[in-house]
């Protein structure tokens, strides 16, 4: 069974608008961590944001925020005020206690295109 | 300020050839891992290590070997390359006290003909 599901293969957003990238996860472990990574066309993996399952507040990092809905097992990434440089592939990932520390389960990614 | 260094960045092999993808980190991280990225599949874990001398298999270990003789290095060996191993390979490392901070190398693109 897929641990991480990203249902949007591609998303389009106009510059300066906000966009939400969906991510749902599957775990029975009460302790887990959720991650979002950005992969531009150059290929490197860039860490964006992290949410722990026990964190009381939704994580935020600059223009990135994670909409964490524990009961729904969703961890959507919200990018506010999109920029052309945000065009990239975005991956949601999870680590739980069933996985060795440092090991992540990745979704299949969402290709975001920001247009002027 | 090297972080995680992978070599080579590009490699073309013929079926049946062997090669080693090198990964080195200078952050004294305990945890190191290898992932492969295929189109539409996201990243999948091949092998990982929680310290020198300790390795274990991930989701897709077949056809690959690893060893961890030092904290810094975690090479990935392809014993007899197959076209199905054409992929982009990422090495990653993290510190045991903050496992959420996973540092990735820049990736190695391997083509097997």
């Amino acid at each position: 069974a897929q641990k991480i599901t990203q249902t949007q293969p591609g998303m389009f957003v106009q510059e300066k608008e906000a966009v939400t990238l969906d991510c749902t996860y599957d775990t029975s472990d009460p302790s887990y961590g959720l991650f979002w990574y950005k992969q531009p066309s150059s290929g490197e993996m860039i860490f964006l944001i992290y949410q722990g399952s026990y964190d009381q507040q939704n994580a935020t990092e600059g223009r990135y925020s994670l909409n964490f809905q524990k009961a729904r097992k969703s961890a959507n990434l919200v990018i506010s005020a999109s920029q052309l440089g945000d065009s990239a592939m975005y991956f949601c990932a999870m680590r739980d206690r069933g996985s060795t520390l440092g090991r992540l389960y990745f979704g299949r990614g969402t290709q975001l295109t920001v247009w002027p | 300020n090297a972080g995680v260094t992978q070599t080579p960045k590009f490699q073309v092999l013929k079926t049946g050839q062997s090669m080693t993808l090198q990964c080195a980190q200078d952050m004294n991280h305990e945890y190191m891992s290898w992932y492969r990225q295929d189109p539409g599949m996201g990243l999948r874990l091949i092998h990982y290590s929680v310290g020198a001398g300790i390795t274990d298999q991930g989701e897709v270990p077949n056809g690959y070997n690893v060893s961890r003789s030092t904290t810094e290095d975690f090479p990935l060996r392809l014993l007899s390359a197959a076209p199905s191993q054409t992929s982009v390979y990422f090495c990653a490392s993290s510190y045991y006290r903050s496992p959420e901070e996973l540092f990735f190398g820049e990736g190695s693109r391997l083509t097997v003909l």
Side-chain angles (χ1 to χ4, degrees), chain A residues 35 39 43 91 100 104 108, chain B residues 35 37 40 45 48 90 100 102:
Chain A
F35 305 73
Q39 187 179 43
F91 291 98
T100 303
L104 298 180
R108 297 188 176 196
Chain B
Y35 292 84
Q37 183 180 19
L45 183 68
Y48 63 96
F90 286 95
E100 63 273 10
L102 198 63

Side-chain angles (χ1 to χ4, degrees), chain A:
Chain A
Q2 278 236 305
K3 289 236 180 189
I4 294 286
T5 302
Q6 294 180 253
T7 57
Q8 307 155 314
M11 287 286 285
F12 294 85
V13 66
Q14 190 170 23
E15 200 177 6
K16 299 179 186 173
E17 298 293 312
V19 63
T20 298
L21 307 183
D22 294 342
C23 172
T24 57
Y25 59 91
D26 180 27
T27 183
S28 56
D29 191 342
S31 176
Y32 52 90
L34 297 155
F35 305 73
W36 278 92
Y37 285 87
K38 173 184 178 181
Q39 187 179 43
S41 57
S42 50
E44 72 268 31
M45 296 290 287
I46 302 168
F47 167 74
L48 294 178
I49 197 166
Y50 169 79
Q51 178 86 42
S53 59
Y54 293 121
D55 293 343
Q56 296 295 316
Q57 308 249 353
N58 286 348
T60 60
E61 289 287 347
R63 294 185 299 109
Y64 303 108
S65 60
L66 199 151
N67 184 1
F68 181 44
Q69 298 190 42
K70 204 168 182 176
R72 295 187 177 187
K73 293 190 175 179
S74 76
N76 299 339
L77 178 70
V78 180
I79 306 175
S80 63
S82 298
Q83 302 172 355
L84 296 178
D86 293 334
S87 293
M89 182 72 86
Y90 289 79
F91 291 98
C92 180
M94 179 182 70
R95 169 182 55 79
D96 63 15
R97 199 151 45 190
S99 63
T100 303
L101 292 175
R103 167 182 179 167
L104 298 180
Y105 299 97
F106 283 83
R108 297 188 176 196
T110 296
Q111 179 70 48
L112 175 66
T113 302
V114 181
W115 51 283

